[in-house]
Amino acid sequence: MPDDTTTQNDDVTDSPDAGGAGSETPSEGIAVAAPEPFEPSAIDLDLDADPRDDSQHDAAEYQELLALYEDTLSQITEGEIVTAQVIGKTETDIILDVGFKSEGAVPLDEFHDPDEVKPGDSVDVFLESLEDDEGVVVLSKKKADFLRVWEKIKDAFDNDRPVKGRIKRKIKGGVTVDLMGVDAFLPGSQIALRRVPNVDDLLGDEYDFKILKLNKRRRNIVVSRRVLLEEERAGKREELKEELSVGDVRAGVVKNITDFGAFIDLGGMDGLLHITDMSWGRIGHPSEVCDIGATVEIKILDIDWDRERISLGLKQLQEYPWKNVAEKYPVGTRVLGRVVSITNYGAFVELERGIEGLVHISEMSWTRNVRHPSQLVGINDKVECVVLRVDEDAQKISLGMKQVEEDPWLALPAQYPPGTKIRGLVRNLTSFGAFVEVEAGIDGLVHISDMSWTRRVQHPAEVLRKGDEVDVVVLSIDPDQKRISLGLKQVQEDPWYQLAQSYGPGREVAGTITRLLEKGVVVDLGSDLEGFVPVSQLGVEGPVADPAEHFSEGQGLELRVLETDPINRRIVLAVVDAPEVPYDAAEVEYESMGASRSGSADDDEDGSKSDSDGEAEA
């Protein structure tokens, strides 16, 4: 086979009829080189041979094929930025072809918008390694982005120039900012001049930032927006100092709201609008008047440039509501208002925006003892009142709720003249008497001195119980002081004139000691009748310093009547064995054996009104 091929080639060369050029060449005397002989390999002769079988190729052929394959690969070097082509996408990575033996993968989170990346797109990536442990190319888009813009960022840092960026997401301690395609850190304290209530509202917004710190090795960039705002603020502050003065009215933007007021940005400096200067009326919280970000017209009240404080006012731009208020609300006028505040001592009623009046707790009811205003009124209740007093200078109006109705105490003296017998319910007991209901909400006081003709009552519980229905007699009524004096013993006739005849001097009786006093002892004679034995009539020889040294309560005594005094309602006694010696009236003067008091509630020890809720129950 090789011999035939060689012979055929030689014949073609020597033939005079070969191509035109070939036939002319000898005539020109130019030698023509014969082509290299073609030596077919086994794979050329055997069409069924396996091209992957290395045994079919010698070493020279293998090196030749390898060189041809490597010529098709890009010339890439580790540590450089290369352009790759997107060939696919998985749930976690973007697959890239960099023209090397194997493809590389870049995580989706390294792309600004992974959904926009399509197969065939070109992407600049940083070649970290041609092969990892698994023979895969290691690529990084973040590093490529960082290196591509590093020189620009460093130039801005060196020349103190601001750069534009977009706030991407919230992280611990601050937010990340997209700075020309790379991530920078913006601390929370550097976002704005004041603390931002909700950082999420700033996500996606673009601002100018100043670079504070660079670290190329760690790819760390720290930026600040506050620094630029402070520089801008400082420039505007100087302009404000020249143009701002007390009394000016200008627009401002609400920057922040607190419990005590709102901070207003005047364009380079903040002023405080205190809650007391927001409205002439009552305000529960500044948020009722203004909202963050709103533009408001305010008046400059005071400026302190040394402390950099500006006081602002909003109500000063409104008409003063207390002007001529006395003419608008004369004394005696009935008004309708809304309860806006309740305190321990009364309720504030708003008559109109900016004008409030106080209904004192004592002016709420004619008959009820109101312990707290909330017993009768609540916030936002509509109430009808009567104007009692107006002080325009002090901005005070006194109102009364009970004055809307007629005072029931004015009709009581005519309805219940002294001596009237009524039946009532015992509402409460105190240490000095009992309160008995005369009418609904109106009680009278039965003093302990008016509970019995013949015995000295130490406590009302000895005679009455709460809830009992009793007959009493009206002794007196004081409409001005709202007091009614009642008597329990006055229901019966005074027995002392009859007792004066029954217990004449010299009569011997038996008694039991009930109380030991300093100047004698009190004895029970039976039938709720008590008598008194002075120390000089105790039958003890020598002076008696303390009757308790010789007698005890409950001890029985044989007694003799010395005197019965129906005027002072007392019986003076002597022990039967006591010597016949006269006694001193001063010994029993202080112990009036149930003598009647004046019968008025004015005599009680604390001056309490005739009100069943005025004292605690015994």
Side-chain angles (χ1 to χ4, degrees):
M1 186 82 175
D3 295 338
D4 295 338
T5 303
T6 305
T7 305
Q8 184 178 0
N9 291 337
D10 293 340
D11 293 340
V12 172
T13 303
D14 297 337
S15 173
D17 298 328
S23 60
E24 294 176 358
T25 301
S27 63
E28 296 176 356
I30 299 174
V32 178
E36 294 290 335
F38 173 71
E39 295 292 340
S41 63
I43 192 172
D44 295 324
L45 299 177
D46 188 359
L47 297 179
D48 295 329
D50 186 358
R52 292 170 296 179
D53 187 2
D54 294 341
S55 62
Q56 301 182 42
H57 303 277
D58 55 24
E61 290 175 331
Y62 181 81
Q63 292 298 327
E64 181 181 359
L65 290 174
L66 182 59
L68 293 174
Y69 170 71
E70 289 181 348
D71 288 341
T72 64
L73 298 179
S74 301
Q75 296 299 320
I76 57 177
T77 307
E78 293 182 354
E80 292 184 352
I81 296 177
V82 298
T83 300
Q85 188 177 27
V86 177
I87 61 175
K89 183 190 300 184
T90 67
E91 294 182 357
T92 58
D93 302 306
I94 299 291
I95 308 302
L96 303 173
D97 179 14
V98 293
F100 197 57
K101 301 177 183 179
S102 60
E103 295 83 13
V106 176
L108 293 176
D109 58 8
E110 293 195 19
F111 289 83
H112 176 67
D113 192 353
D115 295 334
E116 296 296 325
V117 180
K118 306 296 181 183
D121 291 349
S122 297
V123 179
D124 289 339
V125 293
F126 180 78
L127 180 62
E128 295 191 55
S129 175
L130 291 174
E131 291 184 356
D132 60 5
D133 296 338
E134 298 179 357
V136 179
V137 179
V138 181
L139 306 174
S140 173
K141 185 178 184 301
K142 279 188 175 181
K143 290 183 179 180
D145 294 340
F146 181 81
L147 293 174
R148 188 177 62 252
V149 300
W150 173 255
E151 293 302 325
K152 297 180 181 179
I153 294 175
K154 187 174 185 304
D155 180 67
F157 175 72
D158 293 339
N159 293 280
D160 199 22
R161 288 198 312 268
V163 292
K164 189 173 292 294
R166 180 178 56 85
I167 297 178
K168 291 178 59 177
R169 64 180 180 275
K170 183 179 178 181
I171 60 175
K172 182 178 180 181
V175 295
T176 59
V177 176
D178 183 359
L179 210 63
M180 292 184 282
V182 299
D183 287 346
F185 176 61
L186 174 62
S189 61
Q190 299 297 318
I191 296 177
L193 294 173
R194 300 184 183 275
R195 187 182 65 85
V196 179
N198 189 4
V199 178
D200 294 335
D201 296 338
L202 303 179
L203 299 183
D205 293 346
E206 286 190 353
Y207 301 99
D208 286 334
F209 299 94
K210 185 173 183 179
I211 302 173
L212 300 182
K213 181 180 178 182
L214 288 179
N215 189 319
K216 183 177 181 181
R217 184 177 62 84
R218 299 177 59 184
R219 297 190 303 280
N220 184 24
I221 305 174
V222 180
V223 296
S224 171
R225 177 170 173 256
R226 178 175 180 174
V227 173
L228 298 178
L229 294 177
E230 288 177 344
E231 293 176 355
E232 180 183 1
R233 183 185 182 92
K236 291 182 178 180
R237 185 183 294 113
E238 295 302 322
E239 296 178 3
L240 277 177
K241 288 184 178 181
E242 297 179 0
E243 64 182 41
L244 207 62
S245 60
V246 175
D248 289 351
V249 177
R250 61 184 297 148
V253 179
V254 180
K255 297 295 291 298
N256 192 21
I257 295 177
T258 67
D259 292 336
F260 56 85
F263 288 95
I264 311 297
D265 184 5
L266 302 176
M269 191 171 181
D270 291 350
L272 173 62
L273 175 60
H274 198 270
I275 186 172
T276 57
D277 291 312
M278 288 185 170
S279 173
W280 293 111
R282 185 180 297 270
I283 297 177
H285 193 272
S287 58
E288 299 175 13
V289 178
C290 53
D291 300 319
I292 293 179
T295 301
V296 293
E297 290 285 335
I298 42 81
K299 184 175 183 178
I300 310 300
L301 303 181
D302 185 50
I303 300 176
D304 186 346
W305 292 120
D306 294 334
R307 302 172 66 185
E308 294 191 348
R309 291 187 178 180
I310 302 177
S311 298
L312 308 175
L314 185 61
K315 71 179 184 182
Q316 287 76 6
L317 299 178
Q318 306 167 1
E319 184 180 359
Y320 181 57
W322 284 87
K323 185 178 181 181
N324 301 325
V325 72
E327 299 177 5
K328 190 183 299 185
Y329 299 102
V331 175
T333 304
R334 286 197 177 194
V335 293
L336 184 65
R338 179 176 64 92
V339 178
V340 294
S341 179
I342 295 177
T343 66
N344 292 331
Y345 54 84
F348 287 92
V349 177
E350 184 182 58
L351 305 182
E352 63 178 74
R353 187 66 174 174
I355 298 181
E356 297 174 3
L358 171 65
V359 181
H360 194 269
I361 191 171
S362 62
E363 304 295 345
M364 290 187 167
S365 175
W366 290 114
T367 58
R368 292 185 59 179
N369 178 41
V370 184
R371 294 180 180 273
H372 194 274
S374 59
Q375 294 178 240
L376 298 182
V377 297
I379 298 296
N380 292 325
D381 284 356
K382 294 294 183 63
V383 294
E384 187 176 10
C385 306
V386 173
V387 179
L388 304 181
R389 288 178 299 278
V390 178
D391 188 342
E392 188 172 313
D393 295 333
Q395 299 182 10
K396 292 182 179 179
I397 296 180
S398 297
L399 304 173
M401 291 171 52
K402 67 183 183 182
Q403 287 78 4
V404 175
E405 301 176 352
E406 184 181 357
D407 185 357
W409 284 89
L410 298 178
L412 287 179
Q415 187 176 356
Y416 300 102
T420 303
K421 182 179 179 180
I422 60 175
R423 186 170 183 80
L425 184 71
V426 178
R427 293 284 307 280
N428 199 17
L429 301 178
T430 70
S431 60
F432 53 84
F435 288 98
V436 178
E437 185 179 52
V438 177
E439 287 187 353
I442 299 178
D443 298 334
L445 173 66
V446 180
H447 197 272
I448 55 175
S449 62
D450 291 312
M451 289 186 174
S452 176
W453 287 110
T454 58
R455 60 178 292 196
R456 182 178 179 84
V457 180
Q458 298 296 312
H459 195 278
E462 301 173 13
V463 181
L464 300 172
R465 293 183 180 179
K466 185 177 180 180
D468 289 350
E469 284 193 3
V470 295
D471 292 326
V472 293
V473 174
V474 176
L475 302 180
S476 65
I477 296 179
D478 186 348
D480 296 331
Q481 297 295 324
K482 307 293 185 295
R483 291 180 176 179
I484 301 177
S485 295
L486 305 175
L488 181 63
K489 67 184 182 182
Q490 286 81 1
V491 175
Q492 303 172 352
E493 293 184 2
D494 187 353
W496 276 98
Y497 292 99
Q498 183 179 355
L499 291 174
Q501 298 177 2
S502 301
Y503 289 86
R507 177 182 173 179
E508 293 188 0
V509 294
T512 304
I513 298 176
T514 57
R515 292 191 300 279
L516 298 172
L517 306 175
E518 182 181 353
K519 292 189 177 184
V521 297
V522 179
V523 295
D524 180 12
L525 302 178
S527 301
D528 286 339
L529 183 63
E530 290 182 343
F532 182 69
V533 183
V535 290
S536 63
Q537 305 299 320
L538 290 175
V540 179
E541 296 181 0
V544 179
D546 185 0
E549 297 177 357
H550 305 277
F551 301 93
S552 60
E553 293 184 3
Q555 181 179 347
L557 296 175
E558 294 295 328
L559 305 166
R560 180 177 65 254
V561 178
L562 298 180
E563 178 189 10
T564 300
D565 184 355
I567 303 300
N568 294 314
R569 294 179 176 83
R570 66 188 183 188
I571 298 176
V572 182
L573 306 167
V575 177
V576 172
D577 296 337
E580 296 286 345
V581 295
Y583 69 92
D584 185 359
E587 294 182 87
V588 294
E589 185 177 353
Y590 79 100
E591 183 65 28
S592 59
M593 294 299 98
S596 175
R597 302 277 296 272
S598 65
S600 171
D602 294 335
D603 296 329
D604 62 58
E605 59 260 38
D606 65 352
S608 172
K609 290 184 179 182
S610 54
D611 191 320
S612 63
D613 295 328
E615 296 289 338
E617 181 184 354

